[in-house]
Structure formats: structure tokens, C-alpha cells
């Protein structure tokens, strides 16, 4: 780490988009390696920034600070910037925005009407809403569920469709993740790599996520058309 790489806590916080107070708090919890000392001033480098960005990625997934602490503590002591960046890239949310905390009043404002207990239960069943303390945690795609509520379809039918989607998507996500680990990450980790090669892999994974989502949609469309064709042929 060169002198040019060193940042003050103010500069580190600004680089990651956090407040200085939050950055100091995370450092105090041991979520960052010990800083480099120059007299009374603490300096931080690329590894500290990588850890801080990893912490943010974990929180975007809804990890509590206690869970984040356990995860960070499980990382090897000799983890490099590239290792931490790869961990973060693997954990980066597939959605464009994190879940958000809302009140029932805010939910009803978004829905444009009062929401009954049945409505809320259905949104929970669809995985679009979860209880969070005295309020709720809404998923980024809550809008889909609110639009489904307005359809003239029995809630049980919507719920059954949601159950089927969740069941198959969970299995698909598990299988695709295992393929990624076995066919991409395991071969990569077997050999030493330059920072440039690590950066290329880090840039490749977001593109792979986008293409995977597009392939899932295209695959469902193809399968649905095949079902229609078979139905017409009978």
C-alpha cells in the first residue's frame, strides 16, 4: 500500500458514501482491519474500503450488524482486496434497490386504498412483504403484489401461483448458484491471479447476473408457448 492509497476516515467515508460517524462505528465494531497510524492520525487503504463496501452489501441483504460481524470474522486474516471484492460481488443484490421499512399507512397510500388483513397476508405469502417490528419491510417489487390485489381473481389462486413461482425459483437459484461456484469460482480460486484478472471477473459477474435474469424470462416464455402448443394439439 503506497502513501497515495492512504485515506483519512473522512475521505474513506466519502468514498463509500457513509457518514464519518457510521464509518468510525463500524471500525469500532472490528468490521475493518486496524488502520495505519501516522502519529495520532489513522489512515485507511484499499483493503479497508473493500471491507466497508462488503459490509454495505451484507446490510443491503438485510443482515443485522451481529450477522455482519460473524460473516466478517469468518474471513481469512490474509484476505486480499481482490478476495473481499469478489465476496462483495457475489453478495451484491440482484435487485436494483434494497428492501425498505414502511408503515401500514404508507402501504395503503401506495395501494390507493385500505388494505385488509387478507391483503397483507397475501403480500406476505407472495414474499413481497414481511413483518418488521411494529411495521413492515417491503421488497423492491412490492408494486407487483399491489397490482395483483386489484385483479378480479380469488386470493387463494394468486397465492397458489405465488407458491409455485417461489418453489421453482428457489430450486433454480440454488442450482444456478452451485453451478457458478463449481464452474466459475472454484477454478478461479485454484490459481493465483493478478489484480487485473480479479477486476475482470468482478466486472463479469454483474453482466452474468443480468444475462441470467434475461435467460430465465426467455426460458419461461418459451416453456409457456410450448404448453400452449401442446394444448392446441390435443
Amino acid at each position: 500500500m503506497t502513501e497515495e492509497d492512504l485515506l483519512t476516515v473522512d475521505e474513506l467515508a466519502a468514498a463509500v458514501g457513509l457518514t464519518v460517524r457510521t464509518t468510525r462505528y463500524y471500525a469500532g465494531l472490528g468490521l475493518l482491519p486496524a488502520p495505519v497510524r501516522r502519529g495520532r492520525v489513522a489512515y485507511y487503504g484499499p483493503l479497508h474500503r473493500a471491507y466497508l463496501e462488503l459490509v454495505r452489501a451484507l446490510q443491503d441483504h438485510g443482515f443485522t450488524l451481529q450477522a455482519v460481524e460473524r460473516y466478517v470474522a469468518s474471513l481469512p486474516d490474509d484476505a486480499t482486496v481482490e478476495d473481499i471484492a469478489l465476496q462483495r460481488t457475489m453478495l451484491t443484490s440482484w435487485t436494483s434497490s434494497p428492501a425498505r421499512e414502511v408503515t401500514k399507512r404508507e402501504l395503503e397510500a401506495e395501494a390507493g386504498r385500505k388494505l385488509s388483513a387478507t391483503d397483507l397476508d397475501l403480500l406476505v405469502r407472495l414474499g413481497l412483504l414481511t413483518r418488521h417490528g411494529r411495521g413492515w419491510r417491503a421488497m423492491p417489487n412490492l408494486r407487483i403484489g399491489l397490482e395483483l390485489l386489484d385483479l378480479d381473481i380469488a386470493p387463494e389462486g394468486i397465492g397458489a401461483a405465488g407458491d409455485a413461482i417461489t418453489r421453482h425459483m428457489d430450486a433454480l437459484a440454488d442450482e444456478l448458484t452451485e453451478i457458478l461456484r463449481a464452474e466459475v469460482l472454484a477454478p478461479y480460486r485454484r490459481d493465483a491471479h493478478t489484480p487485473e484478472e480479479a477486476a475482470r471477473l468482478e466486472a463479469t459477474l454483474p453482466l452474468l447476473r443480468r444475462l441470467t435474469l434475461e435467460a430465465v424470462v426467455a426460458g419461461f416464455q418459451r416453456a409457456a408457448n410450448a404448453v400452449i402448443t401442446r394444448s392446441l394439439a390435443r
Side-chain angles (χ1 to χ4, degrees):
M1 181 167 52
T2 66
E3 292 294 326
E4 290 76 15
D5 293 327
L6 296 179
L7 303 171
T8 64
V9 66
D10 300 68
E11 293 169 334
L12 176 65
V16 182
L18 294 173
T19 65
V20 174
R21 181 178 181 180
T22 299
T23 302
R24 290 187 188 277
Y25 178 61
Y26 288 165
L29 291 176
L31 300 179
L32 307 180
V36 176
R37 292 282 177 180
R38 297 286 189 271
R40 291 187 172 184
V41 181
Y43 288 96
Y44 302 84
L47 186 61
H48 299 94
R49 177 171 179 172
Y51 267 94
L52 203 51
E53 289 173 338
L54 174 62
V55 169
R56 293 199 68 179
L58 289 166
Q59 289 189 309
D60 284 346
H61 276 285
F63 279 54
T64 63
L65 271 178
Q66 290 80 5
V68 172
E69 287 182 75
R70 290 194 297 271
Y71 189 94
V72 170
S74 71
L75 298 174
D77 293 335
D78 60 350
T80 65
V81 172
E82 291 74 25
D83 294 332
I84 301 301
L86 186 57
Q87 290 275 350
R88 175 181 53 77
T89 304
M90 285 294 296
L91 291 166
T92 299
S93 177
W94 286 58
T95 53
S96 57
S97 57
R100 54 194 170 89
E101 296 179 19
V102 293
T103 64
K104 185 181 179 184
R105 179 176 296 180
E106 290 170 333
L107 285 172
E108 291 178 334
E110 290 187 44
R113 65 176 177 83
K114 292 287 186 181
L115 294 176
S116 66
T118 300
D119 292 331
L120 295 172
D121 288 344
L122 182 57
L123 291 173
V124 170
R125 184 174 175 181
L126 293 174
L128 302 173
L129 198 64
T130 57
R131 274 284 185 189
H132 186 70
R134 295 183 177 180
W136 301 89
R137 185 183 295 275
M139 298 300 108
N141 51 351
L142 173 67
R143 175 191 55 80
I144 297 173
L146 295 178
E147 291 187 15
L148 284 171
L149 294 179
D150 291 333
L151 296 180
D152 192 19
I153 298 176
E156 185 54 39
I158 295 175
D163 292 343
I165 291 172
T166 299
R167 182 170 62 253
H168 290 288
M169 288 302 100
D170 285 352
L172 179 59
D174 283 341
E175 188 170 351
L176 289 177
T177 299
E178 185 54 38
I179 291 171
L180 175 62
R181 294 186 187 280
E183 303 299 332
V184 178
L185 296 182
Y188 174 84
R189 286 170 170 158
R190 279 198 293 266
D191 303 310
H193 295 278
T194 65
E196 291 75 19
E197 290 171 330
R200 282 200 298 273
L201 179 60
E202 185 181 353
T204 295
L205 291 177
L207 176 60
L208 181 60
R209 281 199 297 271
R210 179 177 64 80
L211 294 176
T212 299
L213 288 173
E214 292 178 5
V216 168
V217 172
F220 178 79
Q221 291 171 333
R222 183 176 62 253
N225 285 334
V227 169
I228 294 171
T229 300
R230 290 196 301 271
S231 178
L232 292 173
R234 282 201 293 267

